[in-house]
Every structure is written in C-alpha cells, then in structure tokens.
Amino acid sequence: MTTQNSNHPCACGSYAFEVLIHENVGGDKVWQQKTTGCAATTQSTFAPGHDAKLKSLLIAAGVGGHPVRQTTRDTVVVKDALKVAADLGWRDLVGEAIAKGSS
C-alpha cells in the first residue's frame, strides 16, 4: 500500500516573505507591500511556479536595495535579499539577476 504525503503550506506562504518597495503609483512615490500572495498547499516545498514567484520578489528587493522580512510562526527575521536567496540555494541565480537589474 502506498501512502501519500499530506499537503502543507507552500514555503513562500502568503506573508512568509514580504518586502516594502518605494515606487511610483499614479505619479506619487509610495511604499507598497509586496508578497508572493500565496495561500497554496503542496506536497513538496513549493507549489508549481511558486519558487519563481519568490525568486522574482527577491530580485525586485535586491535591485531596489530593500530588506526582505521573513515570518515563520512567531519569529520575524529581516535579511538582505541575497542572504535569503542563499538560504534557499539560489544565491548565484538571484545575484546575477540583481546585478543585471541594477546596472
């Protein structure tokens, strides 16, 4: 008999990773809260395509020089986008994209 793993929240989580980005909205510079907007469950680490959503968020944060806030249960940690990417094993990929986006 084969047992199936139960679903658990996607690692990008709805507010697990968030960034405040200062951007133009209707001609005004305002702070916008950006998250992956994820409420999915999955049997693996990320729901399909959600690793890409998180990478995009990290790249945008890195290009703008914005810190990333990561919330896990009752712990909040604020890190540089590249450090978060390194924790996830994406340092080179995200670092290259940040370098291209900031040049």
Side-chain angles (χ1 to χ4, degrees):
M1 178 176 175
T2 307
T3 59
Q4 188 175 26
N5 293 336
S6 61
N7 282 352
H8 55 272
C10 178
C12 67
S14 59
Y15 293 100
F17 294 92
E18 56 188 349
V19 178
L20 288 175
I21 296 179
H22 203 227
E23 62 186 6
N24 281 320
V25 175
D28 294 324
K29 280 279 213 178
V30 296
W31 289 100
Q32 295 287 318
Q33 179 186 28
K34 302 289 184 176
T35 69
T36 54
C38 175
T41 59
T42 182
Q43 292 180 9
S44 57
T45 304
F46 292 98
H50 288 220
D51 55 333
K53 288 173 70 172
L54 181 53
K55 287 174 193 166
S56 293
L57 181 70
L58 295 176
I59 292 164
V63 168
H66 306 296
V68 177
R69 184 168 49 190
Q70 181 179 2
T71 305
T72 308
R73 294 186 194 94
D74 61 349
T75 304
V76 177
V77 177
V78 178
K79 293 183 183 179
D80 173 83
L82 202 50
K83 289 181 182 175
V84 175
D87 291 347
L88 295 166
W90 304 332
R91 187 186 192 295
D92 292 343
L93 180 88
V94 171
E96 289 172 15
I98 290 171
K100 287 178 185 175
S102 61
S103 57

